[in-house]
Amino acid sequence: AQRVTQPEKLLSVFKGAPVELKCNYSYSGSPELFWYVQYSRQRLQLLLRHISRESIKGFTADLNKGETSFHLKKPFAQEEDSAMYYCALLTGGGNKLTFGTGTQLKVEL
Amino acid sequence: NAGVTQTPKFQVLKTGQSMTLQCAQDMNHEYMSWYRQDPGMGLRLIHYSVGAGITDQGEVPNGYNVSRSTTEDFPLRLLSAAPSQTSVYFCASGPGTSGNTIYFGEGSWLTVV
């Protein structure tokens, strides 16, 4: 069965410091991976998907099939980046998202 | 274009009561699903549907019922509420094909006392 692991429940960094939110996955098929962000008591919003290879709000993520990882990175953290971040794996032909347990990012001044 | 709409936003139930969480989408998406979000556990799939008339169980289906009579609507029914069902519930929809985005509703905060 598929699984997504986010080892850090909480990541606290200072403003301007680099950020790396870790995500590892386990899946026998070809993975489709996403990062979703949830600001306080709001809906989940798509941040990144690996097939787009884009940079949103300064965040990037590269799929490493050898290490089965999809870590989220940003070179300089901003206060507005404080939120809950979920890594997710899409399976079932595009029908099922399996989520990690989430990492709460706190950016301190 | 409202996207994914959930009602109610907040609800308090007594143990044993039943209720329905409503979900509607206006994007003509085939795929709809319900997740529950609990601290330290991320989001877990309750039930999902790949089209009108078709539903299937997710990871944590016990205590919940769904139906999909139209493309637009996917209600979630709690048959006999239990305190363990206190959670935040999210409805989601998507085109149901690889590479496409799944969109989420704003969430429904449910407390069972």
Side-chain angles (χ1 to χ4, degrees), chain B residues 23-71:
Chain B
C23 177
Q25 53 91 10
D26 60 0
M27 296 174 280
N28 202 32
H29 286 161
E30 291 295 323
Y31 170 73
M32 296 186 74
S33 58
W34 278 101
Y35 292 84
R36 59 178 289 172
Q37 182 183 37
D38 301 291
M41 305 191 75
L43 281 84
R44 293 178 292 168
L45 182 63
I46 304 171
H47 285 285
Y48 66 101
S49 168
V50 299
I54 306 169
T55 63
D56 207 345
Q57 295 182 349
E59 183 184 354
V60 288
N62 293 339
Y64 306 95
N65 258 1
V66 292
S67 60
R68 185 92 181 271
S69 56
T70 67
T71 299

Side-chain angles (χ1 to χ4, degrees), chain A residues 9 32 34 36 38 41-44 46 49 51 84 86 90 93-102, chain B residues 4 9-10 31 35 37 40-43 45 48 50 90 96-102 104-106 109:
Chain A
K9 285 187 177 180
E32 290 189 61
F34 300 77
Y36 280 83
Q38 185 182 32
R41 296 175 76 84
Q42 295 185 21
R43 75 177 77 205
L44 275 78
L46 178 67
R49 45 184 181 169
I51 60 171
M84 179 70 85
Y86 289 99
L90 186 66
N95 291 319
K96 296 171 69 173
L97 272 174
T98 299
F99 285 88
T101 51
Chain B
V4 181
K9 195 168 178 70
F10 300 98
Y31 170 73
Y35 292 84
Q37 182 183 37
M41 305 191 75
L43 281 84
L45 182 63
Y48 66 101
V50 299
F90 286 96
T97 52
S98 295
N100 283 288
T101 300
I102 292 179
F104 285 82
E106 292 187 323
W109 273 255

